[in-house]
Amino acid sequence: MKKRLIVGVCVGLGLVGCEAITDYLPPLPGLNTQITKQRPSVAVQSPSIAAMETAVQQQINKIRTSNNLKPLQSNQKLAQVAREYSRKMARENFFSHTSPQGDTPSQRVRTGGIFYIVVGENLFKSTNAPHPVPLAVEGWMDSPGHRENILRPEYRETGVGVWRSGSTYYITQLFLRSLIPSITPPNNITAISSK
């Protein structure tokens, strides 16, 4: 009975007050746009937390491919924004798409130096759950707004950030379609420069 209660509370916490957020087309940077200093990156807490971040992306991609959608590519800058936000929620003891300071997912992504066409965010929080990743993904798929983010065909990239505080896990998954797609050259191509 106690185990069922814990699982029920975890899924409930992941869904309470957590509507999916989607923003379109931020203002393009203009000539008078201030350049912000790049913030120091937030390291993954541990190898097990890194494995959880990877597991979220893998499970989401499995769901997408089973629904005839392309898998999402990993975006490390986006993962950094997600990880910073999970850490912030843990440190400041809140759970919301809008921080106590008023910043939204789109503002956080822009502050991270990422320009996009569309961005969305799913959040999850669980306490005393030994395996929060399956709970998060199941909870998101059971929630219409979160499910819409996962299955939105416009998204091409994702970043996942997990933060643990005691026995509580905070999971942030950001989805986006970049204004400027990430291009990684194949391993067999060498860049040539001319003088």
Side-chain angles (χ1 to χ4, degrees):
M1 174 67 177
K2 185 177 179 183
K3 195 171 195 173
R4 285 187 193 157
L5 179 63
I6 290 171
V7 170
V9 169
C10 294
V11 172
L13 284 174
L15 301 177
V16 172
C18 185
E19 72 283 353
I21 296 290
T22 304
D23 287 327
Y24 290 92
L25 293 172
L28 294 175
L31 296 175
N32 295 327
T33 300
Q34 291 183 341
I35 297 174
T36 57
K37 290 185 179 179
Q38 189 171 355
R39 299 180 318 247
S41 63
V42 174
V44 177
Q45 281 182 303
S46 69
S48 64
I49 296 291
M52 291 172 73
E53 291 178 352
T54 301
V56 169
Q57 182 174 348
Q58 288 172 341
Q59 288 186 26
I60 296 302
N61 278 339
K62 184 177 179 182
I63 292 166
R64 285 178 63 86
T65 56
S66 70
N67 283 274
N68 299 315
L69 295 168
K70 291 182 180 180
L72 299 168
Q73 299 300 311
S74 180
N75 180 320
Q76 291 307 309
K77 284 177 74 173
L78 199 59
Q80 183 63 38
V81 172
R83 191 175 302 120
E84 287 175 7
Y85 195 63
S86 289
R87 180 178 74 167
K88 181 178 185 132
M89 287 190 294
R91 286 185 172 176
E92 297 180 20
N93 194 29
F94 73 96
F95 182 69
S96 174
H97 291 289
T98 304
S99 78
Q101 293 75 29
D103 59 290
T104 65
S106 60
Q107 291 168 324
R108 291 189 292 275
V109 169
R110 282 193 303 264
T111 300
I114 304 166
F115 299 99
Y116 59 87
I117 295 170
V118 61
V119 65
E121 177 180 76
N122 284 353
L123 300 177
F124 181 80
K125 176 184 173 184
S126 68
T127 301
N128 296 326
H131 306 289
V133 171
L135 291 175
V137 174
E138 183 179 321
W140 289 335
M141 289 304 291
D142 289 342
S143 165
H146 295 95
R147 180 184 178 87
E148 182 181 336
N149 273 343
I150 291 167
L151 298 177
R152 185 178 286 270
E154 293 86 2
Y155 292 139
R156 300 287 190 266
E157 301 173 52
T158 190
V160 179
V162 177
W163 200 262
R164 180 180 176 190
S165 178
S167 62
T168 302
Y169 290 91
Y170 295 82
I171 302 175
T172 302
Q173 182 172 25
L174 289 164
F175 304 85
L176 88 112
R177 180 152 187 183
S178 293
L179 190 59
I180 304 166
S182 303
I183 299 173
T184 306
N187 291 337
N188 61 349
I189 304 251
T190 305
I192 301 171
S193 65
S194 60
K195 292 186 177 184

